[in-house]
Amino acid sequence: MTTAGEQRGRDTAPLLERESELEAIERSLDGLCGTSPDGGLTARQGGVIGFAGPAGVGKTTLLKRLRRLARERGCTVLCASGGEQERQVPFHVMRQFVQPVFAAMPEDERRQILGDWYDIVAPATGLSAPKPGASPDPQGVRDGLDWVVTNLSVRNGPVVLTLDDVHWADPESLAWLTAFASRAAELGMLIAVACRPDELPREAMRLHALVARDRTLAHELSPLTSAAVSSIIRTTLGQNADELFCRECWAITGGNPYEVVELTEKGRRRGLVPREESIPQLRDLASAVKGKGLIERLEQLGPSASRLAWAAAVVGSGVPAGIVGTVAALGDSPLAEAAALLDKARILQITDSRTEGERVVEFHHPLIATAVYTSIPHGVRVGMHGMAATALVDAGLGATAAARHILELHPEGDPWVVQQLRRAARDSLSAGAPDAARRYLARALREPPDIEDRAQVLFELGSANLPHEPATTVNQLRAALEEPKIDPDLREAVTYRLAQALAHTGQMEQATGLLAEEAGNTTSARTRLRMQAEQFKWNAVNAADPDAPGRSRLLSQFARHVTGRDLAERHILGLRAWDIVMRGEPVAQSLHYAERALHGGMSWTDQDFGFEVPAVVALTLMYCDQPGRAEELFHEGIAEFEAKGWRGAHLSFAYTLLGYIRYRRGRLAEAEDFVRSGLQIADRVDRGIPAQLYAIGTLIETLLARGRTDEAQSIADRYRFGEENPKTVVYPDPQAVRGRLLLAGGRTDEAVQQLTAVGRRLRQRGAHNPAWSP
């Protein structure tokens, strides 16, 4: 085994031809710790520093040196590495950052630091089990991680965060770090990253660009010169090494530091004399450093050592040695013997875990792990992934830990595989990693599941896809409805979700038609009423509804006969209250229905019912001259969204509409602040979503009211606002907003033409209230 003394020696050994990088590290730490060149104290300065280059060029060594120097200065160090086999494990990197810090804390201190974010962040970082039914959106989890790391920076600063092998980082952690890194300077925090630029995924390009902006902080590492290689050889093999031997070593390795060090260390152990006549032996040793020669050397160590190396390459880094031994089919004694052989051969070692005090297996270098993994015969590799999945579940590490191995298996119709993938998907959704959930469910569908479970898997996959690929969701949920063995309760749930997907893709008439068809097929009166409520909801936002007045009359009839005893009835009452506002009917009638809708409560975060009806009830109160109560409802909605970790489109709507209420009350500066917050959130989610349209229109109206016409026009141009008619009812109406922009710009004739067209369209819908759309 590698001793602590040997490891310290490696960490403190001089690094040749890396003077500029070491100087940059020292400068960065001086700035972080508030130390000026003359020894005085200054304000803490943070930032991002990066090292890039091919494998083995010394990036990891520089990060190790940075961490050691940071700890010597009293810094808190958070460190992680991307893993070639762990790229599909959500938040794999993030857990490495925070778990060692929090593992040493008592639970009450941990909760104090995480604060209100505990239920959102703890599952993502592995500090607690996922909560059933929780589904924070990715932005909510990223905001929570911002809070956690910022809080650590304040409490435990100065903080140094290092990420090695960025090119192998999981997408969820990478998305967080890319957004957070731009704040490093203002937080007085140092972030250091290392990558192979030729292997960077698309998600990492923004982070790479952020580092590359400052040439003093972006370091592209070069191979060592022949002089540096000669120095290493003479230090390791003796000062009498001749020049021909040294130049041959440089030529064989290409000046790659890792290969030079490995080759000279093997030469030292073999007693190689560094003279010209030893060059043939040097070449033989070099062939065993990497590639085919490395694998041949591994095979020479015996079957137990080979199996352990294979198992370690399959299972990945940071996994307890006992699990690796199980996959390798080795008991404790053979495991220890094989590990000793592999450590002596500088292939892998068993070392202490950073988090739980367990012994884990780690390769000496990622290059070795890659070479070993690719050398495993395909059939054996697949079988070992299956053994790894079973061992991880049996060890209590959960379905998510096993899922990445299951993804490597051939589909065989195994119910256990489907069960584990569905569990992993649920855990991933609870941790705010929907992309991972979609991968797991898509694979479960290919297994395939038993015919009794197929509709449920399609429903879960379609639901996971809804926020990202609603068109795909439509196909999957239609397939679920066509399954012959679909449970009636599941059929009802699929119908609501499919109608939602159709509405989100602009297929309003198909959505309401589906609900009408399924309502006609059900034997349950409560189900029919619920489906009617859903029809009313989607008709209310259908800009092309051919019979809006007729549907209004039908809604009025339903509202007169329901009591509000459940959420479906309360939604009908709330929609009737809003319909009265749209049509300019008496205020007292609208308030009557709004009060009945609110009696008994409404949830803003019920995924089956949506947030649309609570929002329009709040707006109803505003149009009925009760803006204070309307604001209270929106504040309740914001609190619900934030508690659930919903910090995307839902929160954007809430801030925008809260700003609109302030606009209506004449508090324009406050209105602008709220609406800009809503637009900023919507921009982070996606371009062209309804939440963004609401925010843009309301911001333009607010700017016009403040007399800032040019700025309002600039916003409209930047987002190409109003160039297309929306398929859903959007307020402010984009065409109407463009008309008011034309009017403010003095183009009266064009404005009249534009606004007349809008008025004609609104009259067709029976929307006669000028307070709603002047």
Side-chain angles (χ1 to χ4, degrees), residues 85 150 175 264 266 330 353 419 430 472 505 598 606 665 689:
Q85 303 304 319
T150 299
T264 53
K266 285 177 172 51
L330 294 174
S353 165
Q419 178 190 56
S430 298
T472 303
T505 53
L598 290 171
D606 188 311
R665 302 180 82 172
I689 60 172

Side-chain angles (χ1 to χ4, degrees), residues 16 28 73 76 132 144 175 278 340 502 523 545:
L16 300 178
S28 297
R73 293 171 181 240
T76 298
S278 300
L502 289 165
T523 59
D545 186 356

Side-chain angles (χ1 to χ4, degrees), residues 103-176:
M105 293 180 184
E107 177 66 13
D108 56 345
E109 184 180 359
R110 190 182 305 165
R111 285 186 172 272
Q112 182 183 3
I113 292 179
L114 294 177
D116 294 338
W117 291 100
Y118 185 90
D119 289 337
I120 297 169
V121 171
T125 52
L127 298 174
S128 74
K131 293 181 65 176
S135 58
D137 62 44
Q139 188 58 57
V141 175
R142 288 195 289 270
D143 289 346
L145 294 173
D146 281 0
W147 163 265
V148 171
V149 178
T150 299
N151 206 357
L152 282 175
S153 182
V154 173
R155 290 169 59 102
N156 298 28
V159 168
V160 174
L161 183 149
T162 71
L163 175 57
D164 201 0
D165 292 329
V166 171
H167 46 280
W168 288 336
D170 63 274
E172 290 80 9
S173 300
L174 200 52
W176 169 77

Side-chain angles (χ1 to χ4, degrees), residues 138-288:
Q139 188 58 57
V141 175
R142 288 195 289 270
D143 289 346
L145 294 173
D146 281 0
W147 163 265
V148 171
V149 178
T150 299
N151 206 357
L152 282 175
S153 182
V154 173
R155 290 169 59 102
N156 298 28
V159 168
V160 174
L161 183 149
T162 71
L163 175 57
D164 201 0
D165 292 329
V166 171
H167 46 280
W168 288 336
D170 63 274
E172 290 80 9
S173 300
L174 200 52
W176 169 77
L177 183 60
T178 298
F180 184 79
S182 60
R183 299 181 53 210
E186 68 179 79
L187 290 174
M189 177 177 179
L190 179 61
I191 296 177
V193 296
C195 70
R196 302 178 194 174
D198 293 342
E199 299 181 32
L200 280 176
R202 179 177 53 82
E203 298 89 345
M205 289 303 179
R206 276 184 57 209
L207 179 62
H208 187 57
L210 178 69
V211 178
R213 278 193 308 210
D214 189 338
R215 292 184 179 278
T216 64
L217 297 176
H219 300 274
E220 191 83 31
L221 304 186
S222 301
L224 299 177
T225 64
S226 59
V229 172
S230 298
S231 177
I232 293 172
I233 291 170
R234 293 189 171 108
T235 300
T236 307
L237 300 181
Q239 294 298 322
N240 61 340
D242 65 28
E243 194 59 33
L244 278 175
F245 182 93
C246 294
R247 290 193 67 82
E248 182 66 18
C249 184
W250 175 71
I252 289 172
T253 61
N256 183 288
Y258 163 73
E259 293 184 28
V260 173
V261 171
E262 285 296 302
L263 184 54
T264 53
E265 180 62 23
K266 285 177 172 51
R268 183 185 68 80
R269 294 185 178 187
R270 292 284 185 90
L272 189 67
V273 178
R275 311 295 294 175
E276 180 181 356
E277 56 269 22
S278 300
I279 287 177
Q281 294 172 267
L282 180 71
R283 291 171 180 162
D284 290 341
L285 286 175
S287 67

Side-chain angles (χ1 to χ4, degrees), residues 11 118 136 175 278 306 329 655:
D11 290 345
Y118 185 90
S278 300
S306 292
Y655 275 113

Side-chain angles (χ1 to χ4, degrees), residues 29-71:
L29 290 174
D30 285 343
L32 180 69
C33 298
T35 306
S36 64
D38 60 5
L41 297 179
T42 62
R44 188 183 299 171
Q45 297 175 356
V48 184
I49 184 170
F51 306 103
V57 80
K59 306 179 295 294
T60 298
T61 303
L62 285 167
L63 288 185
K64 284 182 179 178
R65 181 64 56 91
L66 188 155
R67 290 195 295 268
R68 180 179 63 79
L69 293 173
R71 290 189 178 103

